[in-house]
Amino acid sequence: MSITSQDLLQRRDTAGTDWRQHAACRDVDPDLFFPLGTVGASLPQIEQAKQICRTCPVCRSCLGWALDHGDAGVWGGTTEEERRRHRLSDPRLRLP
């Protein structure tokens, strides 16, 4: 499933609150958070995205959303692989 910037603007968390309005990445090109790979030339891009996440006041909400929805890319300062490992280590977070 591919995510567009329009998707990011329209999605809301379960409480109906649009935490994205407070995200540090809201004015950054969304492509930064969706690298083409996870090795080699993509590593600096992933690190740059994570640096933005480290400054974000809603990083935890973003990570929670990504854990619940399984989206690709960098969310809440984590890669898809990091979130997968997190889900495997915590049975409460496993997707059905």
Side-chain angles (χ1 to χ4, degrees):
M1 178 172 145
S2 176
I3 298 176
T4 66
S5 58
Q6 188 63 30
D7 292 331
L8 295 176
L9 294 173
Q10 292 177 351
R11 292 182 178 187
R12 297 184 184 277
D13 68 15
T14 56
T17 304
D18 191 356
W19 50 264
R20 287 163 197 82
Q21 291 177 353
H22 306 287
C25 63
R26 71 185 172 276
D27 296 323
V28 177
D29 182 354
D31 289 340
L32 175 66
F33 297 88
F34 299 96
L36 296 177
T38 57
V39 297
S42 294
L43 292 177
Q45 180 179 348
I46 292 168
E47 183 53 34
Q48 186 179 0
K50 286 181 170 186
Q51 285 178 0
I52 293 169
C53 294
R54 285 191 280 273
T55 69
C56 186
V58 293
C59 188
R60 291 186 75 120
S61 296
C62 180
L63 176 56
W65 192 92
L67 287 168
D68 289 345
H69 295 88
D71 279 336
V74 176
W75 291 83
T78 63
T79 63
E80 184 176 7
E81 175 63 23
E82 290 165 338
R83 291 189 303 278
R84 185 183 70 75
R85 285 193 308 260
H86 187 74
R87 279 187 208 97
L88 291 174
S89 69
D90 188 342
R92 295 171 297 156
L93 298 174
R94 290 189 186 144
L95 296 175

